[in-house]
Amino acid sequence: MKKILLSLALLSVVACTKESLDEVGNQTTLPENQIVGSEELAAKGFLRVKLSQEMASKVLAVQSTRSEEGRSGVGEIDGVLDQIEAQNFRRVVEYDPEWEADFEATGLNRWYCFEFDENSELGRVAKMVAGVQGVERVEMVIDHKYMRVMSEGPAVPLSESDLEGVNPSTRASVAMNDPLFEGQWHFNNMGYTDDKSAVPGADINLVDAWSLCSGENNGTDVVVAVIDEPIYTEHPDLKDNMWCNPQNPEQHGYNFYNKTSKLDWKSSARTQDQYGRIVHIYADHGSHVGGVIAAVNNNGVGVCGVAGGKGKGGNVKLMSCQIMGYSNVNANNNADIDAFVFALKNGAVIAQNSWGFNYDNKLNNWEVIKSEWEAGRFGALQDAIQTFVKSAGTKNPNSPIKGGLVIFAAGNDGHWLKDRICYPAGDQSHGVIAVGAMDWSYLPSFYSNYGTWVDITAPGGDFMSNKSLVLSTILCDDSMSYDDNRKKNTKTYGYGYQAGTSMACPHVSGVAALGLAYAAKIGRQFTTQEYRDLLLSSVYGIDRYFSGVKVPGNGLMLNMADYKGKMGGGCVDALKLLLAIKGTPGICVKTGEEITQDLAPYLGGAHSTIRIKAIESADFAKLGLEGAPKVSGLKWTLNCPKEGMALVQVKAVAGDTEITREIALISRKNVAQNGGLL
């Protein structure tokens, strides 16, 4: 009897749904915001729905007592699922009592997804589901094929000849012993003897920052989730800095693209380059991004990472969250959301995202995605991002940050999109940091998106030559065959160049991770807002270089004035961030030039009666100084023959009390025009 009644109930629900569908089909407009997404760009056979709080609680309560898979357990929903022969129905984030309150706070726990026949008419199914009481929103999800990594072309394997012409740097050799570091201009730009377009100083000011911290601390790991293609976890320059699951040390991330614990870097694709040649694209991107952040420093092998530690790695760990790949299986349409949730629950505090959407040079596609994002029509992803920003690190009492950073590449369409805003990078309302790209002469990279929505800039490279690109780690799995000659030279095997806002983004993520490692080292903790403000203000200005026309060699002519005020506050500066965390002000002077500097701003101002008693430092020799600077009143006069940094203690007297003020004295051959103050 119960079965008969249940069948009659389901038939009633289906009948009502059919009637509702016919009514909706005759309407010219749908309920505002109830059905969202572009059917043209949407994945087939897949929808996400956001339930009301009441319905979500009802479904959760019923499902917790039932073992039936693929259904909600609530008749009014299951009636529709049965009618469309849905193959699966599940909550986007699994119930977890430890995190349920965090999911509840952003509404992420009210999202459900279901799959059905790809040949079904997507819009019609969406209308049916929207007619069910308790469904607040139906989201047609953008097809995975519109997602792309933000690099310009495949990786270019490094050859020994690419390293010729690098100006020698004693600072580099003293800092780290990695043999390819001199080719990483983006970390320490000394210029090139054979290419005058490289301007010394156009880098992230990293070497001096390493004198404070290179990624090591007292044992508190800073986990960076690389949401991307997979990282080659066995790379000799990466494996010591890979995150390990405490319950399974062999697990270094997850393959959300294929929904398996096995990362897939072996798959590849074939495509045509700009000259019509067939080339292979290998899954190098995740490894390249990961290497910029935390390739192992000072291990006598390959390249350096921004926060790679020293010797056997450090405390900045790379978690590989694979959301893209080249296998022929159907992509997981929840891969991006699943990655944010996995990263959150497994201790990541930085989500590094060098991906976005591919518009295929179609302005209409850009307009559709922009309007849908701003209307909240990527709601599940937005809720996942906001959950990470609010809750990452909050369960770890030792975390240097309470909350998370979500950092996105701004995108590579600036040369045709101009300064139009792009998402997800431009989503400041959910706490996203957008990163633009510059070349080795402080100028915007030709491809870089720009606009007032861009928050910060970092080196991404451009195409003056191979060595003007960003050098990092790439695949060197000997079980694979390569057709790009990467195995030809054993000295450079596993290393290569790429360019893009993809490469700029991990510079910012790496500097952010370096700063958090240092904060843990000295016992400081920050809220997300506090640390975000420190990061975005730890820059040097680059707008002063934006004049005339840039001709990148691909037929473009870019008016540099168009970029002024539209590349964020400037280029990220690692040393400035660490000094800000330490609470030490800095004075930057030009190497080899005598300067008289007023120290009054650090000692109470021009009318202060504080008197300088002595100036001391154990680091004067690093700058080539034989002793303390000359002092007259509240001014010092000095000339630093060498580049570097010295932590200086200014001993002074206030009344009858001695005080000490620490100042960082930085000597560089090229000084940004920022008044000399950091």
Side-chain angles (χ1 to χ4, degrees), residues 150-194:
M150 289 300 164
S151 62
E152 287 295 293
V156 179
L158 174 67
S159 65
E160 284 190 80
S161 61
D162 290 327
L163 299 177
E164 296 174 358
V166 182
N167 287 331
S169 169
T170 54
R171 295 169 67 229
S173 60
V174 169
M176 302 293 175
N177 64 9
D178 306 78
L180 303 180
F181 178 60
E182 286 190 349
Q184 294 182 282
W185 61 266
H186 34 102
F187 291 171
N188 185 47
N189 190 349
M190 303 301 295
Y192 286 79
T193 59
D194 60 347

Side-chain angles (χ1 to χ4, degrees), residues 527-582:
T527 67
T528 301
Q529 188 62 53
E530 288 170 342
Y531 193 70
R532 174 189 167 95
D533 291 347
L534 278 184
L535 176 65
L536 295 183
S537 60
S538 296
V539 297
Y540 61 84
I542 55 176
D543 274 27
R544 66 190 178 98
Y545 297 99
F546 299 174
S547 62
V549 175
K550 178 177 177 177
V551 183
N554 52 3
L556 295 172
M557 296 182 67
L558 305 176
N559 184 357
M560 290 292 95
D562 292 343
Y563 293 81
K564 287 192 173 184
K566 298 179 180 180
M567 295 295 287
C571 180
V572 66
D573 189 310
L575 178 60
K576 283 187 180 180
L577 178 62
L578 268 58
L579 290 176
I581 292 168
K582 183 176 173 63

Side-chain angles (χ1 to χ4, degrees), residues 305-324:
V306 175
K310 278 193 175 181
K312 289 294 289 181
N315 293 103
V316 173
K317 300 301 182 184
L318 302 168
M319 175 190 289
S320 183
C321 296
Q322 181 181 353
I323 65 168
M324 286 173 280

Side-chain angles (χ1 to χ4, degrees), residues 296-495:
V296 180
N297 296 338
N298 212 46
N299 60 350
V301 175
V303 295
C304 288
V306 175
K310 278 193 175 181
K312 289 294 289 181
N315 293 103
V316 173
K317 300 301 182 184
L318 302 168
M319 175 190 289
S320 183
C321 296
Q322 181 181 353
I323 65 168
M324 286 173 280
Y326 299 101
S327 62
N328 293 322
V329 302
N330 290 329
N332 170 20
N333 290 303
N334 278 324
D336 48 0
I337 298 170
D338 292 344
F340 275 104
V341 174
F342 180 89
L344 169 72
K345 294 173 67 174
N346 286 281
V349 292
I350 297 174
Q352 149 63 39
N353 298 270
S354 283
W355 61 273
F357 297 116
N358 182 10
Y359 309 116
D360 293 325
N361 287 352
K362 296 177 182 177
L363 191 58
N364 180 63
N365 287 357
W366 168 81
E367 289 173 340
V368 169
I369 292 173
K370 174 184 178 293
S371 63
E372 291 181 357
W373 192 281
E374 292 176 351
R377 296 173 181 178
F378 285 77
L381 177 56
Q382 291 170 339
D383 287 350
I385 290 172
Q386 192 164 24
T387 304
F388 187 91
V389 170
K390 285 177 173 290
S391 301
T394 57
K395 304 289 193 289
N396 177 6
N398 297 320
S399 175
I401 186 171
K402 301 302 182 182
L405 297 178
V406 175
I407 304 175
F408 264 90
N412 294 2
D413 301 295
H415 54 298
W416 70 276
L417 267 183
K418 304 304 180 184
D419 60 357
R420 295 180 174 93
I421 191 170
C422 293
Y423 296 100
D427 189 8
Q428 293 186 357
S429 64
H430 291 89
V432 173
I433 295 173
V435 183
M438 76 176 193
D439 65 19
W440 63 7
S441 65
Y442 298 105
L443 296 180
S445 303
F446 85 85
Y447 49 78
S448 181
N449 284 358
Y450 59 98
T452 55
W453 56 275
V454 173
D455 298 301
I456 196 168
T457 293
D462 217 324
F463 290 84
M464 282 71 81
S465 63
N466 281 350
K467 59 193 176 189
S468 69
L469 312 180
V470 171
L471 177 60
S472 185
T473 46
I474 61 173
L475 293 176
C476 54
D477 183 347
D478 279 334
S479 69
M480 297 174 61
S481 297
Y482 307 97
D483 64 2
D484 56 9
N485 295 319
R486 70 179 63 194
K487 287 185 177 180
K488 187 175 181 180
N489 193 324
T490 56
K491 292 182 179 179
T492 58
Y493 179 41
Y495 302 92

Side-chain angles (χ1 to χ4, degrees), residues 99-174:
W99 292 96
E100 193 66 14
D102 300 272
F103 300 150
E104 175 76 25
T106 60
L108 185 59
N109 63 346
R110 294 195 280 127
W111 284 99
Y112 285 76
C113 59
F114 59 97
E115 299 167 306
F116 48 93
D117 190 337
E118 290 187 1
N119 295 316
S120 298
E121 185 182 340
L122 189 63
R124 186 175 176 84
V125 173
K127 293 173 186 177
M128 291 176 65
V129 179
V132 176
Q133 187 175 4
V135 172
E136 287 189 352
R137 179 168 296 191
V138 181
E139 187 171 282
M140 291 188 279
V141 181
I142 190 167
D143 196 301
H144 197 278
K145 69 183 180 182
Y146 290 103
M147 294 174 64
R148 63 160 292 191
V149 295
M150 289 300 164
S151 62
E152 287 295 293
V156 179
L158 174 67
S159 65
E160 284 190 80
S161 61
D162 290 327
L163 299 177
E164 296 174 358
V166 182
N167 287 331
S169 169
T170 54
R171 295 169 67 229
S173 60
V174 169

